Each structure stands twice: as structure tokens, then as C-alpha cells.
Amino acid sequence: MTEWRETDSIRPGVHIDILTNIPNPYRIYKSWREEHPVFQLEPHGFWAVCGYADVKFASRRHDIFSSVGVKIVMQPEWLEESYWRDFSFLVQDAPDHMKSRKLVNKEFGLKAVKLFIPFIEKAAHSLISEISPDQEIEFLEGVAAPFSSGLIDHIIGTENSQKLSDIQEYSERNKQNILSKPDGEYIENLQNSVLNINQYFDNLIQKRRANPKDDLISKLLSTKLEGEKLTDDMVSNLVELLLLAGTNTLSHFLCHGMIQLSRSPDLFYKLKKKPELIPDFIEELLRHSTIGPISLRKTTEAVILSGVTIPKGEIVLLFLASANRDATIFPDPDDFIMKRANIHEHLAFGIGAHQCLGRHLLRLEAKIIVECILKSFNGISCPEEDQLEWNNSWIMNSIEKLPVRFR
Ligand code: HEM
């Protein structure tokens, strides 16, 4: 074990809020990778890991980089414990992680998600056919959000999840403020959101217990884990994880897709002529516009990355979005290049045991709606990146609104 390298490269005075509400975090990641690829962010001293090789190594070493690190987001010290969230297997390590993940693994496998194709096609068509050429629409609220919530409702059995504003508000609030204790009014509002979320899940589970349907919630209520039936809490934690992980991600990803298509009319035209290239477009978009910038971990022992020692018990942010722009793996990383030979090495879905459960579903959903848009229109325009209202942070690369005009 080497000594701590007590140099500026460990605590260079970079504040985590530098990533809040900016159009292009990638130039920041680039300077981090070049100047100090492993360093501590202000104000809490969380460790940022920015290079591809380190991020991949750490993502695979669950024995050293524990997923309990995710709890700092859902279980802030300043919030009473009864209001904490518990996102099921997302925060678990082996062996519990795999036991719980297996409860839903098959449902999100390639074969299983293909069964949803007719439903996804119908949902995409019904939303897109409502839009007239040259009409300005707000793409996030008008198309992407109802599309992703409608699909998750259908697949897992939640109801009207787009209207579940408490969940949205809860995650929005967390995104910006989780790291420092907010004022009393803020905490009260957050607690009310949590009570409403709990009530929503209690009602839903009671309804499905009384009248099971052909959905994932009903299935989970009769599933056993190591011979024991799942408790209501276990089911609601799991469903809440799927709901949160499966809705905002898809909707913001689609917004990034529209921005990319608007930036390059040639690309729009090429994909329209050759829809078989849409999967390549989606894969490069995953790399280029990584929606979830980080995986959160906590070290279980001291570890050396890029010559810097991270001690035991530290919170580590593995910057997937930065790794995906690492020029040693992806040449000209800021350029949007379809058919990169090694595109499947991108880390947008993470890697290792916690690799995104919804990745097959996401690829399918995105392919179907992009294809529907390309078939229906000849072009798209939306404001330049720096004219848009961003709502991103270290947790999510998201946008507040996306005004769009199709032609
Ligand atoms: C562009 C869209 C998406 C991106 C970029 C994305 C990204 C990720 C990443 C990076 C992880 C790993 C988290 C970690 O390492 O701690 C993850 C996990 C997960 N994702 Fe996704 N995701 C997307 C869409 C979805 C969808 C549509 C679902 C549908 C249900 C989903 C469900 C999950 C779940 C349940 C986990 C936890 C897996 C585990 O801990 O074993 N995701 N996702």
C-alpha cells in the first residue's frame, strides 16, 4: 500500500455544484481526467474517479466498492429515519443483491421485453400521431414523460405514475440538496412527499392483493424469496426502484436524442432513409449523452487508483459520463460517430453485477419511438444547447424543458 499522495491533485478545491444546471459538463470532466483523474470534491470530500480504466475496474470490484454508497442519496443524515427510502437491490451487495435481483431479472431479459413490442409501438404511434408538422411542442412533458410512464405502468402495474408528482418532486429535491441540511419548510415538504409516496404504494399493493392482475406487482406479491413470501415493504421498495429507474432515464435520454437529431439534419435524413441504423444511433447516444453520470459506491478497504490511495469507508463517485468520453478508449470522444468499432464498451449502463436491469427495455423503447418520429417527419429543430433550460447535476444529466418543432 502506498502513502496518501498529499498533493493538490487530491483536493484541488473543485465544488460538486460545478456540475449543476450546465449545458456541457463534458469539458469539466475532460479537465478532471487530464489534471487529476482521482480526487476529492468539495464540500464533503467525496472521491471522483474519472478515467475509463479506473471506473471499469471499480464497477467490477463489488468487494471493494460497495453499493451501500448509494444510501447517501436516499437516507440523508438530516432526515428522520422513518422517511428514508430503501431501493431494494440497488443498494445491496453480494450475495443478497443477486438473490433480490433474480426476482425480476427474467422480466427484463431480452426475450421477455420483446413481448412488449406491440404495446410500445401502439404507445409511440398514439403520441406521435397527435403532433402536426410545424407545431411547437414541449417534448419532455408532451411526449417523453407520458411515453416512459405509460410503458412502466403497463409493465410493472403502477397506475398513473406520471401524475405521481410527489415521486418526481422527491427525486428533484434530492438531486440538488441531499448533501447539506435544508431549511425546516423544505424538510416538511419532503416528508409530506414521502408520506404520499408511501400511501400510493400501500393502496396499490392492497388493490393487487385483493384483485391480482397480469402485472409484475401481482406476481411479486405471490413470489417467495428463500421460502418466505415477500413483505409489502419489500414489494413496494422494489416497485419504487423500477419506477424511478425506468421513467426519468428514458424520458431524458429521448430529449438528448432529439437534441442530437436537431443538431444534425444529415443524421436525421440518414436514419430516416436507413432505419436499420437506429440501434447504432442509440448506442452512440448512450455513450455521448450519458444520462446517469455516476455510480455511487463506498470503499470497504483502502484502494489505489491511478496512483492515489482512497481510504476505507469513503464515498466514491464513479463518473461513467466521464469514462465514456475518455479518448484512450473512444478516439475523438466529443464527436458523435456512429458504428464505432468498440461502441459496446461504453459504460452508460454501468458494468458488473449492478449493470442496468432495464437496458434491453430501454434500447427497445428508444428504437421504437425514434423510428416512429423519423417515419412521421422530415426534420426537427430545437434551441441550441446553451439556450435550453438545464436541470442537471452530479446525479442526473437532465433538462427542464425541451421546446421542439418537427417538420
Ligand atoms: C438511458 C436510460 C438508462 C440509463 C443510462 C441507465 C443507467 C443505469 C446505471 C448506470 C445503473 C447502475 C447503477 C449502479 O451502478 O449503481 C443502472 C441500474 C439500474 N437500472 Fe438503469 N438506466 C436506464 C434505464 C433504465 C430502465 C428503462 C430501467 C427499467 C426498469 C432501469 C432499471 C434499472 C435498475 C432496476 C437498476 C439497478 C440494477 C442493480 O442494482 O442491480 N434502468 N441503470
Side-chain angles (χ1 to χ4, degrees):
M1 183 68 54
T2 56
E3 289 293 302
W4 268 53
R5 231 177 39 182
E6 285 291 359
T7 64
D8 285 351
S9 68
I10 293 177
R11 232 168 157 137
V14 180
H15 199 286
I16 198 165
D17 284 349
I18 194 178
L19 295 172
T20 304
N21 300 340
I22 48 164
N24 183 358
Y26 298 100
R27 58 193 165 76
I28 297 175
Y29 299 145
K30 182 169 187 279
S31 69
W32 291 357
R33 278 194 310 275
E34 287 169 359
E35 288 158 30
H36 37 71
V38 178
F39 72 102
Q40 282 181 279
L41 282 156
E42 302 300 338
H44 299 276
F46 295 162
W47 290 81
V49 175
C50 309
Y52 184 92
D54 285 339
V55 170
K56 193 170 187 175
F57 168 82
S59 303
R60 286 182 157 153
R61 289 300 301 266
H62 312 281
D63 52 334
I64 305 177
F65 293 90
S66 162
S67 285
V68 300
V70 184
K71 288 189 179 177
I72 58 148
V73 181
M74 284 121 49
Q75 305 184 350
E77 279 168 10
W78 46 261
L79 192 64
E80 226 180 83
E81 217 173 302
S82 58
Y83 294 99
W84 284 359
R85 314 309 296 163
D86 174 351
F87 278 176
S88 188
F89 55 86
L90 180 71
V91 298
Q92 292 173 336
D93 293 319
D96 293 343
H97 167 257
M98 201 27 96
K99 283 184 207 154
S100 316
R101 182 164 161 148
K102 268 193 182 152
L103 295 167
V104 287
N105 238 349
K106 224 167 128 196
E107 259 66 30
F108 290 89
L110 195 51
K111 209 164 137 197
V113 298
K114 282 190 175 164
L115 299 175
F116 296 123
I117 290 177
F119 186 87
I120 303 173
E121 284 177 344
K122 206 168 145 204
H125 183 259
S126 107
L127 280 162
I128 301 302
S129 62
E130 288 292 303
I131 307 168
S132 328
D134 287 330
Q135 167 198 2
E136 181 168 309
I137 55 156
E138 204 286 282
F139 187 80
L140 178 60
E141 278 305 302
V143 179
F147 181 62
S148 48
S149 303
L151 299 182
I152 281 291
D153 282 351
H154 176 75
I155 293 165
I156 62 179
T158 41
E159 291 173 0
N160 288 322
S161 63
Q162 200 197 350
K163 299 216 167 66
L164 199 53
S165 53
D166 288 300
I167 284 229
Q168 302 296 350
E169 265 174 48
Y170 177 81
S171 49
E172 280 307 311
R173 288 200 178 108
N174 272 4
K175 212 166 74 171
Q176 306 296 346
N177 295 302
I178 204 70
L179 300 177
S180 34
K181 187 175 176 181
D183 65 28
E185 190 188 337
Y186 176 97
I187 295 181
E188 203 183 315
N189 287 339
L190 186 75
Q191 289 173 338
N192 285 337
S193 293
V194 170
L195 294 177
N196 291 339
I197 294 169
N198 289 346
Q199 191 162 28
Y200 171 87
F201 285 112
D202 286 351
N203 287 343
L204 195 61
I205 285 173
Q206 273 174 31
K207 265 167 90 174
R208 292 297 185 277
R209 276 210 190 284
N211 279 312
K213 282 190 171 184
D214 184 19
D215 60 30
L216 189 55
I217 301 181
S218 308
K219 201 181 148 211
L220 287 170
L221 287 170
S222 59
T223 300
K224 288 186 175 169
L225 181 65
E226 299 185 319
E228 302 273 338
K229 280 205 161 182
L230 305 186
T231 63
D232 286 4
D233 272 355
M234 286 162 93
V235 175
S236 72
N237 290 339
L238 223 164
V239 172
E240 189 177 338
L241 165 62
L242 296 174
L243 184 63
L244 270 186
T247 48
N248 279 346
T249 42
L250 171 62
S251 42
H252 289 287
F253 180 68
L254 293 176
C255 289
H256 283 275
M258 295 306 112
I259 294 171
Q260 196 58 46
L261 289 174
S262 140
R263 211 182 273 155
S264 169
D266 287 352
L267 180 62
F268 193 106
Y269 182 72
K270 187 171 171 183
L271 294 173
K272 188 176 168 75
K273 290 272 276 187
K274 290 191 169 178
E276 65 276 16
L277 294 178
I278 295 173
D280 297 322
F281 166 71
I282 286 166
E283 226 47 46
E284 175 66 349
L285 187 65
L286 283 161
R287 181 198 72 81
H288 192 264
S289 305
T290 305
I291 296 299
I294 55 150
S295 284
L296 258 169
R297 299 290 185 263
K298 188 172 186 175
T299 48
T300 59
E301 58 183 77
V303 57
I304 303 171
L305 292 181
S306 287
V308 178
T309 303
I310 305 178
K312 178 180 174 177
E314 296 286 297
I315 294 293
V316 181
L317 276 47
L318 304 175
F319 274 92
L320 307 166
S322 167
N324 280 342
R325 297 276 185 121
D326 187 330
T328 60
I329 303 294
F330 303 109
D332 300 319
D334 297 332
D335 294 348
F336 195 91
I337 304 173
M338 290 200 317
K339 288 200 175 294
R340 287 175 183 271
N342 64 347
I343 186 59
H344 285 282
E345 289 179 43
H346 73 70
L347 300 179
F349 290 130
I351 194 149
H354 286 270
Q355 190 178 33
C356 180
L357 175 83
R359 62 193 187 281
H360 302 305
L361 180 64
L362 180 283
R363 287 184 174 118
L364 196 65
E365 294 169 328
K367 175 181 165 288
I368 290 174
I369 193 162
V370 168
E371 194 166 354
C372 188
I373 288 170
L374 290 163
K375 256 191 204 155
S376 311
F377 303 105
N378 294 317
I380 174 178
S381 51
C382 57
E384 291 293 316
E385 263 178 348
D386 54 0
Q387 306 292 316
L388 288 167
E389 212 179 317
W390 290 91
N391 179 16
N392 49 12
S393 72
W394 56 288
I395 294 186
M396 185 93 172
N397 187 8
S398 49
I399 198 164
E400 183 68 28
K401 287 192 174 76
L402 184 63
V404 152
R405 201 181 286 274
F406 291 106
R407 291 188 298 280

mmCIF file of all heavy atoms in Angstrom, residues 125-157:
data_model
loop_
_atom_site.group_PDB
_atom_site.id
_atom_site.type_symbol
_atom_site.label_atom_id
_atom_site.label_comp_id
_atom_site.label_asym_id
_atom_site.label_seq_id
_atom_site.Cartn_x
_atom_site.Cartn_y
_atom_site.Cartn_z
ATOM 1 N N HIS A 125 -46.986 5.391 -31.399
ATOM 2 C CA HIS A 125 -47.794 5.892 -32.507
ATOM 3 C C HIS A 125 -48.871 6.837 -31.994
ATOM 4 O O HIS A 125 -49.119 7.903 -32.567
ATOM 5 C CB HIS A 125 -48.408 4.712 -33.285
ATOM 6 C CG HIS A 125 -49.181 5.176 -34.472
ATOM 7 N ND1 HIS A 125 -50.549 5.273 -34.475
ATOM 8 C CD2 HIS A 125 -48.751 5.621 -35.672
ATOM 9 C CE1 HIS A 125 -50.947 5.753 -35.629
ATOM 10 N NE2 HIS A 125 -49.882 5.963 -36.378
ATOM 11 N N SER A 126 -49.510 6.470 -30.896
ATOM 12 C CA SER A 126 -50.623 7.322 -30.428
ATOM 13 C C SER A 126 -50.103 8.693 -29.987
ATOM 14 O O SER A 126 -50.761 9.712 -30.218
ATOM 15 C CB SER A 126 -51.452 6.591 -29.373
ATOM 16 O OG SER A 126 -51.226 7.110 -28.123
ATOM 17 N N LEU A 127 -48.912 8.779 -29.418
ATOM 18 C CA LEU A 127 -48.388 10.092 -29.010
ATOM 19 C C LEU A 127 -47.894 10.899 -30.206
ATOM 20 O O LEU A 127 -48.164 12.098 -30.333
ATOM 21 C CB LEU A 127 -47.223 9.905 -28.032
ATOM 22 C CG LEU A 127 -47.614 9.621 -26.589
ATOM 23 C CD1 LEU A 127 -46.443 9.020 -25.824
ATOM 24 C CD2 LEU A 127 -48.074 10.902 -25.896
ATOM 25 N N ILE A 128 -47.185 10.242 -31.106
ATOM 26 C CA ILE A 128 -46.568 10.973 -32.223
ATOM 27 C C ILE A 128 -47.622 11.406 -33.255
ATOM 28 O O ILE A 128 -47.523 12.489 -33.847
ATOM 29 C CB ILE A 128 -45.453 10.118 -32.900
ATOM 30 C CG1 ILE A 128 -44.368 9.744 -31.874
ATOM 31 C CG2 ILE A 128 -44.836 10.824 -34.096
ATOM 32 C CD1 ILE A 128 -43.678 10.893 -31.178
ATOM 33 N N SER A 129 -48.668 10.593 -33.416
ATOM 34 C CA SER A 129 -49.680 10.958 -34.432
ATOM 35 C C SER A 129 -50.485 12.193 -34.004
ATOM 36 O O SER A 129 -51.159 12.807 -34.814
ATOM 37 C CB SER A 129 -50.614 9.772 -34.699
ATOM 38 O OG SER A 129 -51.292 9.463 -33.513
ATOM 39 N N GLU A 130 -50.402 12.565 -32.752
ATOM 40 C CA GLU A 130 -51.090 13.775 -32.273
ATOM 41 C C GLU A 130 -50.364 15.059 -32.685
ATOM 42 O O GLU A 130 -50.897 16.153 -32.565
ATOM 43 C CB GLU A 130 -51.131 13.766 -30.731
ATOM 44 C CG GLU A 130 -52.073 12.755 -30.117
ATOM 45 C CD GLU A 130 -53.515 13.117 -30.399
ATOM 46 O OE1 GLU A 130 -53.906 14.238 -30.037
ATOM 47 O OE2 GLU A 130 -54.222 12.285 -31.009
ATOM 48 N N ILE A 131 -49.104 14.930 -33.106
ATOM 49 C CA ILE A 131 -48.289 16.133 -33.364
ATOM 50 C C ILE A 131 -48.372 16.514 -34.840
ATOM 51 O O ILE A 131 -48.147 15.679 -35.716
ATOM 52 C CB ILE A 131 -46.801 15.868 -33.017
ATOM 53 C CG1 ILE A 131 -46.688 15.331 -31.589
ATOM 54 C CG2 ILE A 131 -45.969 17.132 -33.182
ATOM 55 C CD1 ILE A 131 -45.301 14.770 -31.270
ATOM 56 N N SER A 132 -48.693 17.795 -35.099
ATOM 57 C CA SER A 132 -48.711 18.234 -36.504
ATOM 58 C C SER A 132 -47.364 18.846 -36.839
ATOM 59 O O SER A 132 -46.723 19.454 -35.973
ATOM 60 C CB SER A 132 -49.763 19.319 -36.747
ATOM 61 O OG SER A 132 -50.846 19.131 -35.919
ATOM 62 N N PRO A 133 -46.960 18.720 -38.109
ATOM 63 C CA PRO A 133 -45.704 19.360 -38.514
ATOM 64 C C PRO A 133 -45.792 20.871 -38.266
ATOM 65 O O PRO A 133 -46.872 21.466 -38.401
ATOM 66 C CB PRO A 133 -45.612 19.066 -40.016
ATOM 67 C CG PRO A 133 -46.550 17.935 -40.260
ATOM 68 C CD PRO A 133 -47.603 17.991 -39.205
ATOM 69 N N ASP A 134 -44.698 21.459 -37.861
ATOM 70 C CA ASP A 134 -44.570 22.904 -37.606
ATOM 71 C C ASP A 134 -45.251 23.399 -36.333
ATOM 72 O O ASP A 134 -45.209 24.579 -36.035
ATOM 73 C CB ASP A 134 -45.036 23.745 -38.803
ATOM 74 C CG ASP A 134 -44.006 23.655 -39.914
ATOM 75 O OD1 ASP A 134 -42.817 23.477 -39.586
ATOM 76 O OD2 ASP A 134 -44.393 23.721 -41.083
ATOM 77 N N GLN A 135 -45.854 22.464 -35.597
ATOM 78 C CA GLN A 135 -46.455 22.873 -34.325
ATOM 79 C C GLN A 135 -45.344 22.798 -33.268
ATOM 80 O O GLN A 135 -44.582 21.831 -33.247
ATOM 81 C CB GLN A 135 -47.556 21.845 -34.008
ATOM 82 C CG GLN A 135 -48.126 21.864 -32.634
ATOM 83 C CD GLN A 135 -48.864 20.532 -32.336
ATOM 84 O OE1 GLN A 135 -48.903 19.600 -33.153
ATOM 85 N NE2 GLN A 135 -49.444 20.469 -31.150
ATOM 86 N N GLU A 136 -45.237 23.837 -32.427
ATOM 87 C CA GLU A 136 -44.207 23.738 -31.380
ATOM 88 C C GLU A 136 -44.760 22.943 -30.210
ATOM 89 O O GLU A 136 -45.867 23.201 -29.734
ATOM 90 C CB GLU A 136 -43.756 25.121 -30.907
ATOM 91 C CG GLU A 136 -42.675 24.963 -29.852
ATOM 92 C CD GLU A 136 -41.943 26.243 -29.499
ATOM 93 O OE1 GLU A 136 -41.474 26.934 -30.419
ATOM 94 O OE2 GLU A 136 -41.846 26.519 -28.290
ATOM 95 N N ILE A 137 -44.011 21.964 -29.759
ATOM 96 C CA ILE A 137 -44.446 21.185 -28.603
ATOM 97 C C ILE A 137 -43.338 21.174 -27.541
ATOM 98 O O ILE A 137 -42.179 21.416 -27.850
ATOM 99 C CB ILE A 137 -44.782 19.716 -28.971
ATOM 100 C CG1 ILE A 137 -43.572 19.052 -29.669
ATOM 101 C CG2 ILE A 137 -46.009 19.608 -29.835
ATOM 102 C CD1 ILE A 137 -43.585 17.558 -29.534
ATOM 103 N N GLU A 138 -43.753 20.886 -26.296
ATOM 104 C CA GLU A 138 -42.749 20.705 -25.247
ATOM 105 C C GLU A 138 -42.524 19.198 -25.175
ATOM 106 O O GLU A 138 -43.386 18.457 -24.694
ATOM 107 C CB GLU A 138 -43.274 21.308 -23.941
ATOM 108 C CG GLU A 138 -42.165 21.705 -22.989
ATOM 109 C CD GLU A 138 -41.503 20.507 -22.327
ATOM 110 O OE1 GLU A 138 -42.079 19.967 -21.397
ATOM 111 O OE2 GLU A 138 -40.405 20.094 -22.782
ATOM 112 N N PHE A 139 -41.387 18.759 -25.667
ATOM 113 C CA PHE A 139 -41.169 17.334 -25.890
ATOM 114 C C PHE A 139 -41.122 16.518 -24.596
ATOM 115 O O PHE A 139 -41.638 15.403 -24.536
ATOM 116 C CB PHE A 139 -39.864 17.144 -26.691
ATOM 117 C CG PHE A 139 -39.631 15.726 -27.118
ATOM 118 C CD1 PHE A 139 -40.283 15.201 -28.223
ATOM 119 C CD2 PHE A 139 -38.782 14.906 -26.399
ATOM 120 C CE1 PHE A 139 -40.085 13.884 -28.610
ATOM 121 C CE2 PHE A 139 -38.573 13.585 -26.778
ATOM 122 C CZ PHE A 139 -39.230 13.070 -27.886
ATOM 123 N N LEU A 140 -40.535 17.094 -23.538
ATOM 124 C CA LEU A 140 -40.383 16.310 -22.302
ATOM 125 C C LEU A 140 -41.751 15.977 -21.700
ATOM 126 O O LEU A 140 -42.078 14.801 -21.499
ATOM 127 C CB LEU A 140 -39.500 17.076 -21.302
ATOM 128 C CG LEU A 140 -39.288 16.396 -19.951
ATOM 129 C CD1 LEU A 140 -38.624 15.037 -20.104
ATOM 130 C CD2 LEU A 140 -38.437 17.272 -19.025
ATOM 131 N N GLU A 141 -42.540 17.012 -21.435
ATOM 132 C CA GLU A 141 -43.841 16.786 -20.798
ATOM 133 C C GLU A 141 -44.863 16.196 -21.759
ATOM 134 O O GLU A 141 -45.765 15.449 -21.380
ATOM 135 C CB GLU A 141 -44.404 18.113 -20.250
ATOM 136 C CG GLU A 141 -43.848 18.510 -18.895
ATOM 137 C CD GLU A 141 -44.024 17.415 -17.847
ATOM 138 O OE1 GLU A 141 -45.173 16.989 -17.576
ATOM 139 O OE2 GLU A 141 -42.992 16.980 -17.317
ATOM 140 N N GLY A 142 -44.725 16.600 -23.058
ATOM 141 C CA GLY A 142 -45.750 16.220 -24.024
ATOM 142 C C GLY A 142 -45.563 14.834 -24.627
ATOM 143 O O GLY A 142 -46.537 14.182 -25.007
ATOM 144 N N VAL A 143 -44.330 14.383 -24.731
ATOM 145 C CA VAL A 143 -44.093 13.094 -25.402
ATOM 146 C C VAL A 143 -43.277 12.134 -24.520
ATOM 147 O O VAL A 143 -43.740 11.045 -24.178
ATOM 148 C CB VAL A 143 -43.349 13.289 -26.757
ATOM 149 C CG1 VAL A 143 -43.081 11.953 -27.424
ATOM 150 C CG2 VAL A 143 -44.152 14.201 -27.686
ATOM 151 N N ALA A 144 -42.061 12.589 -24.137
ATOM 152 C CA ALA A 144 -41.132 11.645 -23.498
ATOM 153 C C ALA A 144 -41.657 11.137 -22.149
ATOM 154 O O ALA A 144 -41.616 9.931 -21.875
ATOM 155 C CB ALA A 144 -39.770 12.321 -23.321
ATOM 156 N N ALA A 145 -42.165 12.048 -21.321
ATOM 157 C CA ALA A 145 -42.603 11.621 -19.977
ATOM 158 C C ALA A 145 -43.838 10.712 -20.040
ATOM 159 O O ALA A 145 -43.836 9.631 -19.429
ATOM 160 C CB ALA A 145 -42.840 12.837 -19.089
ATOM 161 N N PRO A 146 -44.907 11.103 -20.798
ATOM 162 C CA PRO A 146 -46.050 10.182 -20.852
ATOM 163 C C PRO A 146 -45.703 8.838 -21.495
ATOM 164 O O PRO A 146 -46.221 7.799 -21.095
ATOM 165 C CB PRO A 146 -47.110 10.921 -21.697
ATOM 166 C CG PRO A 146 -46.442 12.107 -22.280
ATOM 167 C CD PRO A 146 -45.203 12.381 -21.466
ATOM 168 N N PHE A 147 -44.796 8.864 -22.479
ATOM 169 C CA PHE A 147 -44.374 7.607 -23.119
ATOM 170 C C PHE A 147 -43.720 6.703 -22.077
ATOM 171 O O PHE A 147 -44.122 5.555 -21.890
ATOM 172 C CB PHE A 147 -43.396 7.935 -24.260
ATOM 173 C CG PHE A 147 -42.898 6.753 -25.031
ATOM 174 C CD1 PHE A 147 -43.771 5.942 -25.754
ATOM 175 C CD2 PHE A 147 -41.537 6.440 -25.060
ATOM 176 C CE1 PHE A 147 -43.300 4.849 -26.488
ATOM 177 C CE2 PHE A 147 -41.062 5.357 -25.790
ATOM 178 C CZ PHE A 147 -41.944 4.561 -26.494
ATOM 179 N N SER A 148 -42.719 7.229 -21.359
ATOM 180 C CA SER A 148 -41.989 6.342 -20.438
ATOM 181 C C SER A 148 -42.855 5.926 -19.255
ATOM 182 O O SER A 148 -42.821 4.759 -18.844
ATOM 183 C CB SER A 148 -40.668 6.972 -19.982
ATOM 184 O OG SER A 148 -40.856 8.271 -19.578
ATOM 185 N N SER A 149 -43.663 6.837 -18.707
ATOM 186 C CA SER A 149 -44.511 6.431 -17.567
ATOM 187 C C SER A 149 -45.563 5.422 -18.000
ATOM 188 O O SER A 149 -45.856 4.464 -17.285
ATOM 189 C CB SER A 149 -45.245 7.627 -16.964
ATOM 190 O OG SER A 149 -44.340 8.589 -16.582
ATOM 191 N N GLY A 150 -46.140 5.648 -19.190
ATOM 192 C CA GLY A 150 -47.181 4.726 -19.677
ATOM 193 C C GLY A 150 -46.627 3.314 -19.832
ATOM 194 O O GLY A 150 -47.288 2.328 -19.489
ATOM 195 N N LEU A 151 -45.393 3.223 -20.324
ATOM 196 C CA LEU A 151 -44.810 1.893 -20.525
ATOM 197 C C LEU A 151 -44.515 1.221 -19.185
ATOM 198 O O LEU A 151 -44.809 0.035 -18.996
ATOM 199 C CB LEU A 151 -43.522 1.986 -21.347
ATOM 200 C CG LEU A 151 -43.655 2.566 -22.772
ATOM 201 C CD1 LEU A 151 -42.314 2.550 -23.485
ATOM 202 C CD2 LEU A 151 -44.680 1.786 -23.590
ATOM 203 N N ILE A 152 -43.947 1.982 -18.256
ATOM 204 C CA ILE A 152 -43.635 1.384 -16.945
ATOM 205 C C ILE A 152 -44.929 0.963 -16.239
ATOM 206 O O ILE A 152 -45.015 -0.120 -15.650
ATOM 207 C CB ILE A 152 -42.789 2.371 -16.090
ATOM 208 C CG1 ILE A 152 -41.328 2.324 -16.532
ATOM 209 C CG2 ILE A 152 -42.894 2.087 -14.611
ATOM 210 C CD1 ILE A 152 -40.560 1.035 -16.216
ATOM 211 N N ASP A 153 -45.967 1.802 -16.335
ATOM 212 C CA ASP A 153 -47.256 1.420 -15.727
ATOM 213 C C ASP A 153 -47.726 0.084 -16.293
ATOM 214 O O ASP A 153 -48.190 -0.790 -15.564
ATOM 215 C CB ASP A 153 -48.331 2.491 -16.007
ATOM 216 C CG ASP A 153 -48.176 3.707 -15.105
ATOM 217 O OD1 ASP A 153 -47.354 3.645 -14.166
ATOM 218 O OD2 ASP A 153 -48.868 4.715 -15.336
ATOM 219 N N HIS A 154 -47.606 -0.049 -17.603
ATOM 220 C CA HIS A 154 -48.064 -1.276 -18.242
ATOM 221 C C HIS A 154 -47.216 -2.480 -17.802
ATOM 222 O O HIS A 154 -47.745 -3.549 -17.504
ATOM 223 C CB HIS A 154 -47.975 -1.112 -19.766
ATOM 224 C CG HIS A 154 -48.340 -2.341 -20.521
ATOM 225 N ND1 HIS A 154 -49.648 -2.770 -20.664
ATOM 226 C CD2 HIS A 154 -47.566 -3.257 -21.173
ATOM 227 C CE1 HIS A 154 -49.657 -3.890 -21.374
ATOM 228 N NE2 HIS A 154 -48.417 -4.209 -21.686
ATOM 229 N N ILE A 155 -45.906 -2.263 -17.736
ATOM 230 C CA ILE A 155 -45.004 -3.394 -17.484
ATOM 231 C C ILE A 155 -45.018 -3.813 -16.009
ATOM 232 O O ILE A 155 -45.072 -4.993 -15.696
ATOM 233 C CB ILE A 155 -43.568 -3.038 -17.942
ATOM 234 C CG1 ILE A 155 -43.549 -2.887 -19.465
ATOM 235 C CG2 ILE A 155 -42.559 -4.091 -17.499
ATOM 236 C CD1 ILE A 155 -42.327 -2.203 -20.016
ATOM 237 N N ILE A 156 -44.988 -2.829 -15.101
ATOM 238 C CA ILE A 156 -44.918 -3.259 -13.692
ATOM 239 C C ILE A 156 -46.264 -3.182 -12.966
ATOM 240 O O ILE A 156 -46.407 -3.769 -11.905
ATOM 241 C CB ILE A 156 -43.801 -2.545 -12.892
ATOM 242 C CG1 ILE A 156 -44.006 -1.035 -12.815
ATOM 243 C CG2 ILE A 156 -42.441 -2.866 -13.434
ATOM 244 C CD1 ILE A 156 -42.914 -0.354 -11.992
ATOM 245 N N GLY A 157 -47.203 -2.438 -13.520
ATOM 246 C CA GLY A 157 -48.531 -2.421 -12.896
ATOM 247 C C GLY A 157 -48.793 -1.218 -12.008
ATOM 248 O O GLY A 157 -49.780 -1.172 -11.275
#
